Amino acid sequence: MPRARRNYAAYLSVVGRSHDAIVEAYRTRHLDPLTLSNYSVLAYSLLNARRYDDAIAEYEKVLAIDSTRASTYAWLGHCYIGKGMFRKAI
């Protein structure tokens, strides 16, 4: 069930229902706090809602657990670009 909720949160984020996506992503993470993808989907939803500082905090949590996830660094860069922090995005 958490996987379906995670996918639903990602879908809501893509179709522009940011608030609903964030709520669903928080629920998913609460149900399964050991799955890193749940943190990533929450961060992605926050990024799409342009809540860059919150998204950065979530991506940093993912990296604290697994610093080898290249996609997390890429999405973190998108957050910094959104904030206009181009040097930090590199």
Side-chain angles (χ1 to χ4, degrees):
M1 188 69 156
R3 186 178 194 182
R5 284 184 162 291
R6 181 174 61 238
N7 291 341
Y8 183 55
Y11 164 77
L12 290 171
S13 185
V14 169
V15 299
R17 292 177 52 192
S18 298
H19 176 74
D20 295 331
I22 293 166
V23 169
E24 194 64 33
Y26 271 116
R27 283 186 192 141
T28 303
R29 190 181 69 176
H30 177 73
L31 289 172
D32 186 6
L34 300 178
T35 301
L36 286 181
S37 298
N38 293 339
Y39 289 83
S40 295
V41 168
L42 175 56
Y44 176 75
S45 298
L46 292 164
L47 170 61
N48 280 343
R50 297 186 176 159
R51 290 176 49 184
Y52 301 118
D53 291 327
D54 295 331
I56 289 168
E58 290 302 317
Y59 282 126
E60 292 290 345
K61 289 177 187 176
V62 173
L63 292 174
I65 297 167
D66 182 1
S67 62
T68 65
R69 294 174 63 110
S71 63
T72 303
Y73 288 103
W75 288 113
L76 192 56
H78 285 282
C79 294
Y80 287 120
I81 289 169
K83 290 184 67 164
M85 299 172 70
F86 303 109
R87 290 190 188 273
K88 192 145 185 170
I90 296 175

